[in-house]
Each structure stands twice: as C-alpha cells, then as structure tokens.
Amino acid sequence: PAPPAFPPLPGRPGGLGHWVGLSHPAAQTLPMAFDLADLSADARDFLTERHLATLTTARPDGSPHVTPVGFSYDVEARIARVITWSASRKAIHAADMAEAGRRAVLCQVDGARWMSLEGTVRLVSDADGIAPGVRGYAARYREPKDRDDRVVIEIDVDRIIGSGRLR
C-alpha cells in the first residue's frame, strides 16, 4: 500500500483522517473549504495581490484545458472574472460549458499559500457585463489594452478551498 500523505503521529495510525482537527502544525495547512461570507483579511489580501492563476475549463471531449490567467474576484458578488478575447480556447470552452451548466476552477499559488475558486461558468460579451472584468483586472494588474473582441469569463464562486494559512 502507498504511504499516508502525512506521517503518522506517535501512537496513532497514519492517514489524512487522523490529521483533521488536530492542533499539529501540519494540520494547519490542510485544504479546507472557506466560508464565502466570512473570508479572512489574509484571504482577501491574497485575492488582490498581484499573482497569476490557472483557469481550468473542459474541452469538448471532457479533458481539462488549463491556462495561465490574471483574474479579479468580487467578494460581495462572489464572482471571479477573467478577461480574454472571443476566439480564445478558454472563451470557447467557457461558452460550451455555460450551456451545459458545467463548472470551472481558478487556482492561485504563492509558495505554500494557495486558493482554488470553483463554480459555474458563463461567457459575458456585452459592454456593461465586460466593464467589471476590465475594472477588476486594472485594479489588480494594470490597465488592459483595448480590444473590440473582448469577453469576460465569469465564475459564480460557490466554493473556495485553500491553505490553512489564509484562514
């Protein structure tokens, strides 16, 4: 059998289940779901610091398509936004996934700190819908170049998991 993901504590059998809820320092970094209504200051800061992320969408055959992106997150609306252009593979996949009610994931990593934001995805192409994505990107990274074919991938975030350091 494969060794447990975490070493066993003295006198206890190994395995992840024995770490959950323990005060051992390693247990503080286990991935757990965040309370979306009560993100910590550290989590909020992490979502505004200048980091890139990966966006995972699904190809028509169901295999994952993972691409690096910049994104913004609206804490109150619980919407993550990725600006892109309409002919990009990620935009095409997002449109297909939206029709099927499928989910996408954004994952941001900085050393031992990480968060994944999950939810249903949609593609926004109207000017009023694109504007929050452009504003969010500009606030987090820089003012994006103007594009006539700009679209925004929106994820209605209903689950965030991440490192315990961000709690």
Side-chain angles (χ1 to χ4, degrees):
F6 295 94
L9 290 174
R12 293 184 185 234
L16 182 63
H18 293 283
W19 286 87
V20 176
L22 296 178
S23 60
H24 190 281
Q28 303 305 309
T29 61
L30 287 175
M32 295 182 269
F34 285 69
D35 180 352
L36 298 180
D38 190 26
L39 290 177
S40 70
D42 287 342
R44 287 173 180 250
D45 288 347
F46 188 59
L47 290 168
T48 59
E49 294 169 5
R50 191 183 191 285
H51 298 289
L52 295 179
T54 57
L55 171 66
T56 302
T57 56
R59 295 182 180 102
D61 68 1
S63 64
H65 176 259
V66 183
T67 189
V69 296
F71 77 97
S72 60
Y73 181 61
D74 183 329
V75 173
E76 285 75 33
R78 299 180 184 167
I79 298 174
R81 294 181 175 96
V82 175
I83 62 173
T84 189
W85 67 99
S86 59
S88 70
R89 296 308 314 162
K90 61 184 162 281
I92 293 167
H93 295 156
D96 291 345
M97 292 170 65
E99 287 180 23
R102 300 204 43 210
R103 301 168 62 80
V105 181
L106 281 162
C107 184
Q108 173 176 291
V109 179
D110 179 44
R113 301 181 308 156
W114 66 273
M115 293 178 92
S116 290
L117 292 77
E118 307 172 21
T120 54
V121 65
R122 70 177 160 272
L123 189 67
V124 177
S125 58
D126 64 284
D128 289 341
I130 291 171
V134 171
R135 283 193 303 271
Y137 185 92
R140 188 169 188 189
Y141 303 101
R142 61 177 168 75
E143 191 67 37
K145 296 176 185 174
D146 286 331
R147 293 192 69 116
D148 292 336
D149 59 349
R150 176 152 350 266
V151 294
V152 174
I153 297 169
E154 290 188 343
I155 299 174
D156 289 319
V157 176
D158 58 19
R159 179 175 163 89
I160 297 178
I161 59 172
S163 56
R165 297 171 185 214
L166 297 172
R167 297 212 185 286

